[in-house]
Amino acid sequence: QVQLVESGGGLVQPGDSLQLSCAATGRSFSTYTMGWFRQAPGKEREFLAGINTWGKRSTYYADSIYGRFVIFRDNDKNTVYLYMDKLKLADTATYYCAADESGGSQTRNVGDYKYWGQGTQVTVSS
């Protein structure tokens, strides 16, 4: 069983940056593919970024946030991060981290992630 706990959300202004953290329990964290998603009210959960354990910790992103968001992990701390830059009003959502215990190389679908955190709210407002 894996438990994920997100933190770092809050209220920011357009153009600000913010870093989210997701702390995981379990001894196999380094073998999991980790992902970040978000969900705005009335919308489907949206894939943002993933990081696997293949080769040199390959990362992959959704086109919608490419170049503004960066995912990285610290296996010693069992934590995955999402750094978000140049935030926009449209980035307002609840942000979730998720774990794919199969260690997929490019896991993007909600259904392919087995474990989920409770979410952290990010509100971008002027």
Side-chain angles (χ1 to χ4, degrees):
Q1 186 73 14
V2 176
Q3 290 186 325
L4 305 174
V5 179
E6 301 97 337
S7 61
L11 174 64
V12 296
Q13 294 185 335
D16 285 353
S17 59
L18 195 65
Q19 182 166 294
L20 306 181
S21 301
C22 172
T25 62
R27 289 176 287 183
S28 299
F29 174 79
S30 62
T31 68
Y32 299 151
T33 292
M34 300 298 297
W36 282 98
F37 291 75
R38 69 185 178 190
Q39 189 167 18
K43 295 188 176 182
E44 293 187 351
R45 194 163 295 191
E46 172 191 14
F47 169 79
L48 299 175
I51 182 167
N52 61 42
T53 61
W54 292 47
K56 300 180 179 179
R57 299 180 182 176
S58 179
T59 59
Y60 49 101
Y61 299 91
D63 291 342
S64 61
I65 54 86
Y66 187 83
R68 293 195 299 125
F69 291 10
V70 178
I71 186 172
F72 58 102
R73 68 195 298 166
D74 184 338
N75 289 337
D76 292 335
K77 296 182 178 179
N78 274 19
T79 301
V80 63
Y81 304 90
L82 184 69
Y83 175 76
M84 305 183 292
D85 195 19
K86 300 177 182 177
L87 285 163
K88 306 175 182 179
L89 298 176
D91 293 319
T92 296
T94 300
Y95 284 69
Y96 299 89
C97 70
D100 166 21
E101 63 178 0
S102 72
S105 63
Q106 292 274 317
T107 312
R108 296 174 181 262
N109 296 325
V110 169
D112 291 331
Y113 284 87
K114 183 174 182 179
Y115 302 106
W116 292 84
Q118 83 289 348
T120 186
Q121 177 68 34
V122 173
T123 302
V124 184
S125 175
S126 56

